[in-house]
């Protein structure tokens, strides 16, 4: 494995027409978690999958939090920039276009922060169970970026008004946002998979 600034897994594309995916796991996950999901939702895409560098009681994450749903925003900013730098390194090392992020939970939150702070790092994003990562959203131009958000109406971690605010903030910055609210909780369901497959095929 190429030495880059994050422990990661990389699988080259078998279909050059498919965009590379940046797979970002949830709390307690690692670089292997979303590999199968990535293959299912965009067959043939290159898969770039880093492991979050923060450890919370031994569980990898992409940034520090003070409590569930309460983020250390200084760390969010630092880590979003660090991850965007890794994406730039990996693009050079593997010869990749800007990837589409596919993030779950903590991984979706860091992807949302990257969109706001380092929009050039991502071509777009699929945010699964995401919440507002920064209390004041930076001014950013997200024109031309497609964002799929899939939230759970019964998610005990993310109130619906929070994910709605994130969707409004991203579309207010010019992103082409599709926000789906499923009758489910924090975990992913079969409906997430169907929506992802459809969104990637469009
Ligand atoms: C976060 O910390 O990013 C969110 O609370 C989601 C989670 O990882 O549980």
């Amino acid at each position: 494995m190429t030495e880059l600034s994050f422990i990661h897994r990389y699988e080259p594309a078998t279909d050059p027409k498919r965009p590379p995916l940046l797979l970002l796991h949830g709390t307690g996950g690692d670089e292997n978690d979303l590999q199968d999901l990535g293959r299912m939702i965009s067959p043939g895409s290159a898969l770039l999958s880093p492991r979050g560098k923060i450890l919370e009681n031994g569980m990898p994450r992409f940034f520090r939090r003070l409590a569930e749903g309460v983020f250390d925003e200084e760390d969010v900013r630092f880590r979003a920039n660090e991850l965007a730098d890794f994406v730039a390194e990996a693009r050079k090392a593997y010869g990749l276009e800007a990837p589409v992020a596919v993030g779950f939970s903590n991984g979706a939150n860091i992807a949302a922060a990257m969109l706001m702070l380092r929009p050039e790092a991502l071509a777009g994003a699929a945010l699964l169970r995401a919440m507002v990562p920064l209390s004041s959203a930076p001014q950013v131009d997200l024109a031309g970026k497609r964002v799929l958000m899939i939230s759970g109406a019964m998610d005990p971690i993310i109130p619906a008004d929070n994910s709605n605010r994130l969707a409004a903030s991203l579309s207010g910055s010019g992103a082409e946002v599709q926000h789906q609210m499923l009758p489910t909780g924090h975990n992913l369901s079969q409906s997430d998979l169907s929506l992802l497959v459809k969104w990637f095929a469009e």
Side-chain angles (χ1 to χ4, degrees), residues 26-27 61 63 65 67-69 71 105-106 109 131 157 186:
T27 301
R61 293 175 46 85
F63 58 82
R65 62 180 164 184
E68 192 168 275
F71 301 154
S105 189
N106 182 245
N109 297 340
M131 57 195 291
I157 301 175
H186 197 67

Side-chain angles (χ1 to χ4, degrees), residues 79-99:
R79 300 294 166 187
N81 277 297
E82 184 184 50
L83 189 57
D85 292 342
F86 163 76
V87 170
E89 279 171 40
R91 285 183 60 187
K92 217 161 147 195
Y94 299 122
L96 300 172
E97 314 256 283

